[in-house]
Amino acid sequence: MTRAKNQPAEDPIVERIEDVDVAAEMQGSFLEYAYSVIYSRALPDARDGLKPVQRRILYQMNEMGLRPDRGHVKSARVVGEVMGKLHPHGDTAIYDTLVRMAQAFTLRVPLVDGHGNFGSLDDGPAASRYTEARLASPALAMTEGLDENVVDFVPNYDNQLTQPEVLPAAYPNLLVNGASGIAVGMATNMAPHNLIEVVGAARHLIAHPNATLDELMEFVPGPDLPTGGTIVGLSGIKDAYATGRGSFKTRARVSVESITARKTGLVVTELPYLVGPEKVIEKIKDGVNAKKINGISDVTDLTDRTNGLRLVIGIKTGFSPDAVLEQLYRLTPLEDSFNINNVALVDGGPQTLGLRELLQVYVAHRISVVTRRSEYRLARRRERLHLVDGLLIAILDIDEVIQLIRGSDDTAAARARLIEVFDLSQVQADYILELQLRRLTKFSRIELEAERDKLRAEIEELEALLASRHRIEALVSDELAEIAERFGTPRRTLLTDARPSIAGAAAKRAAAVLEVADVPCRVFLSATGRIARVDLPVGDEGAPVITVPARRSKHDAIRSTLDTTSRAEIGAVTSLGRLIRFTPVDLPMLPPTSVQLGAGVKIGDYLALPNRDEKVLAIVSLDSDRSIALGTKQGVVKRVATGAYPNKPEFEVIGLKAGDEVVGAVQGDETDELVFVATDAQLLRFPAAIVRPQGCPAGGMAGINLGSGAHVVHFTSIAADDVPEAVVVTIAATTDTLLGTDPGSAKVSDFDEFPAKGRATGGVRAQRFLKGEDALHLAWVGRSPALAVGPDGTARTLPDSGAKRDASGQPLEAVVGAIGTRIG
């Protein structure tokens, strides 16, 4: 074939071969891949606690206007916007992240409000075309202020758009919601925490920059998991808070209940973090089939959307529920471990951080955000004030301004003449040229002058704020407190220092661990609401032996004491007239040689009381022949007949009238004397024998005749043998001051000073009020000595005993929050 005339010759093919060191190429490529995974995918930023994909989802949803007050949109639309504009990766990864931020069982404070099937602990979510989403209210706090230059913006993947390098984050999201991710050569696994506790620690660190870890742990004692449960063993948590690495074990919250009249079961209402009921059921079935788990008859999942998680495990007749539960803790996910590895990005590099370092990074970020926001607002207000000043000049000489503009050939000439005649800036002149005629009214001038004054005040305030580091820190602290009040919820996870289960491979060892000895113990309930148990050694004569601490410590004033055994079923009587059954086997165990109830657990958390105003007043035996005596705020008295307790986990022991509540409960004999003390300083004592025992549904009978506006502040019973050593403590104050601010005056008198009266009478005066005092806000009757504690459990000093019955009190130096008896 011949080439056509004038046809250029083809370019010769040049072969180029380069020698490449495979090891060096692999090393470089691997490092680039590792860098990309670490910084752009797997690890969260320590400032806002978000990975890049999470941050991009929240930012793009905010840009789309998907706020809580607007409707949901299809999740697929959100995924498409994020993928097309900010995150050029697979839609599956984006949607999985979106789903996780909407799951209340995954995040302690969800950031996305999902509508539709967003999955469960056992099942995945529906496809993105079926579900809908919008921002949750806490997410607005994460993105608030992005339009005020509070953070730096960086280009997106194709340099056509910008995205925030980090979100403003109005609360410490990394600690609150935790994080998990696997990078190259490193990983992160951070536990969720309670927002109120974390904010408290952050505010304490702002006020005390040199705060120690122990001080911060007083605010953040441990993780608070979204699914609740119980954390056992706290040493690993402190290690994690100190070094960034540690571990702890979580247990399901399980109660022993009567399924039928003749069958007992274990009812699981909370599971360890990220453990679903189907996984637990499968492990139980595998263990039963392999004959590793004994004593289980059936497992029923009664979980629904209305009542939440409820897993009922039937126990075969003759098997101890506690022993079976211990098996389940060892062999199923009812007890699970969580390994903490606090790795996050700080200044662009991965670091392992303890609690104090995590809070320091966040606080520094938040101070930077508030500072930049204040600078932005100051600049905008100065700009606006400049325009307002110019506009006021124009309105004052509006006729001359109009004549000047009309006499100008064009806009540029008018602008130049305005600047020359009225000494205006170019910005002010342009603004006046664009002035609308409706702004020329007298009312507009008044508005402008008011706006000018307001702007000057705001500018002065912002300048003062930026000039003071202390004021900026105070503002950050106040904003954190507001966030905690808006989005904070009570703690869900119970913290105990109990020993976790020991997994043993040998069958004999496992059987030995399962056998929980039913040993004698004494259960203490402090006046401040902490409960613990002491396993009692037995003396030479068979009597329990306990050593009373020589020095007082926090929370050691005792409200109620009960001698029982570790596996016995006992009851807690509450202010709402309920009795809640429980066993002391899982209570924090204190050494009998040094009983310090500060190491106990809060009884409200232990029993998971749904009402924060409900208080536990006493712990009682359900097998005793001694009746329970109750006194109410409205002066009703009742003795509950023994043996009349329903076979239920909780039940009412008194039918309360509307507005009434139980103020005292005690277990005693007919020979005891019942005592009422009212706010009008009247004390009534009468024999318990004249109060006929009644069944649980009964409402009781008249106990004390109350004066106008008075109510009962204390009720108890005194055993006949204790009458000579009993004392009456009364504390009077004025009701005009805020409760807990006025220490008031106190008096300690011998109980024998008060004569007995008949039931349903008014009693006798227990204290004469000083000038300004009008009511008793606290009273206590019991065996001497009386121990007083403050609201935080610290010891308080009371006057010496021996005062006359109706004498006045002596002024106290500090507020008394509760009174009880000593440990013993």
Side-chain angles (χ1 to χ4, degrees), residues 297-627:
S297 60
D298 57 80
V299 182
T300 307
D301 188 4
L302 302 178
T303 303
D304 57 37
R305 292 176 181 257
T306 303
N307 301 312
L309 176 68
R310 186 173 177 85
L311 196 62
V312 180
I313 304 171
I315 305 297
K316 292 181 179 179
T317 304
F319 282 81
S320 166
D322 297 318
V324 173
L325 179 59
E326 187 65 20
Q327 282 188 98
L328 296 175
Y329 279 149
R330 289 191 303 104
L331 302 175
T332 71
L334 287 183
E335 180 177 282
D336 198 14
S337 61
F338 189 100
N339 295 317
I340 298 176
N341 189 23
N342 295 337
V343 179
L345 296 177
V346 180
D347 296 331
Q351 293 184 20
T352 303
L353 307 171
L355 174 63
R356 190 171 186 273
E357 290 76 21
L358 285 168
L359 290 172
Q360 284 177 326
V361 171
Y362 171 76
V363 168
H365 169 61
R366 195 59 195 167
I367 289 175
S368 171
V369 166
V370 171
T371 301
R372 292 180 61 165
R373 183 187 66 193
S374 301
E375 292 172 346
Y376 177 87
R377 292 177 178 177
L378 178 60
R380 299 291 82 77
R381 280 153 180 77
R382 284 174 173 169
E383 292 173 1
R384 178 59 186 169
L385 179 60
H386 185 62
L387 294 177
V388 170
D389 287 339
L391 194 54
L392 282 171
I393 293 174
I395 290 178
L396 289 175
D397 297 312
I398 192 61
D399 294 334
E400 185 177 354
V401 169
I402 293 174
Q403 183 179 1
L404 185 149
I405 295 174
R406 291 185 62 184
S408 302
D409 294 334
D410 53 24
T411 303
R415 182 189 303 113
R417 293 186 65 186
L418 284 173
I419 294 173
E420 179 183 357
V421 173
F422 295 100
D423 194 23
L424 300 175
S425 68
Q426 181 173 341
V427 174
Q428 289 174 321
D430 288 337
Y431 191 68
I432 291 172
L433 289 172
E434 297 173 1
L435 180 67
Q436 297 177 347
L437 292 177
R438 64 183 177 85
R439 299 298 303 274
L440 302 181
T441 64
K442 178 179 180 182
F443 185 68
S444 295
R445 175 184 171 184
I446 296 174
E447 288 180 341
L448 287 171
E449 289 175 345
E451 183 181 1
R452 177 195 61 193
D453 295 340
K454 181 181 177 182
L455 286 170
R456 287 176 177 174
E458 291 177 351
I459 289 172
E460 183 179 355
E461 183 178 351
L462 287 169
E463 289 175 341
L465 175 65
L466 290 170
S468 172
R469 168 86 176 189
H470 176 72
R471 293 187 63 176
I472 292 178
E473 291 175 347
L475 179 58
V476 171
S477 181
D478 292 342
E479 291 181 351
L480 283 171
E482 181 183 353
I483 289 292
E485 184 176 354
R486 286 171 56 194
F487 304 122
T489 55
R491 166 172 280 277
R492 299 175 186 171
T493 302
L494 179 66
L495 303 175
T496 67
D497 210 7
R499 185 177 58 189
S501 301
I502 301 175
K508 292 183 179 179
R509 181 181 177 186
V513 172
L514 290 177
E515 294 298 329
V516 180
D518 192 18
V519 298
C521 69
R522 182 170 296 167
V523 181
F524 292 101
L525 175 64
S526 76
T528 51
R530 292 183 175 269
I531 190 169
R533 89 171 200 262
V534 176
D535 286 350
L536 299 176
V538 179
D540 296 336
E541 299 179 358
V545 177
I546 186 170
T547 303
V548 180
R551 297 180 59 186
R552 292 183 61 184
S553 58
K554 272 191 174 184
H555 308 284
D556 65 353
I558 303 301
R559 173 180 294 168
S560 185
T561 304
L562 181 66
D563 285 338
T564 180
T565 61
S566 59
R567 290 172 55 185
E569 192 172 56
I570 60 178
V573 181
T574 75
S575 57
L576 297 186
R578 298 195 303 151
L579 188 146
I580 303 173
R581 296 175 181 264
F582 70 100
T583 58
V585 67
D586 284 331
L587 288 174
M589 187 171 62
L590 308 179
T593 55
S594 180
V595 181
Q596 296 183 355
L597 285 173
V601 65
K602 293 181 179 178
I603 183 66
D605 293 341
Y606 185 78
L607 298 179
L609 297 181
N611 189 338
R612 297 182 64 180
D613 295 330
E614 186 176 14
K615 298 179 177 60
V616 175
L617 303 175
I619 46 177
V620 297
S621 171
L622 300 179
D623 300 325
S624 174
D625 56 357
R626 304 169 70 198
S627 63

Side-chain angles (χ1 to χ4, degrees), residues 789-806:
V789 294
D792 61 347
T794 55
R796 295 285 190 265
T797 302
L798 291 172
D800 295 334
S801 60
K804 292 183 179 180
R805 172 179 63 80
D806 60 347

Side-chain angles (χ1 to χ4, degrees), residues 43-78:
L43 297 184
D45 193 295
R47 294 171 290 179
D48 61 4
L50 298 173
K51 301 177 185 178
V53 63
Q54 295 173 321
R55 187 179 304 112
R56 290 163 182 169
I57 289 173
L58 294 180
Y59 173 68
Q60 190 58 44
M61 291 181 72
N62 185 67
E63 290 294 294
M64 295 169 65
L66 304 182
R67 302 180 181 278
D69 56 349
R70 300 184 183 179
H72 297 78
V73 302
K74 287 292 185 182
S75 300
R77 179 181 167 191
V78 176

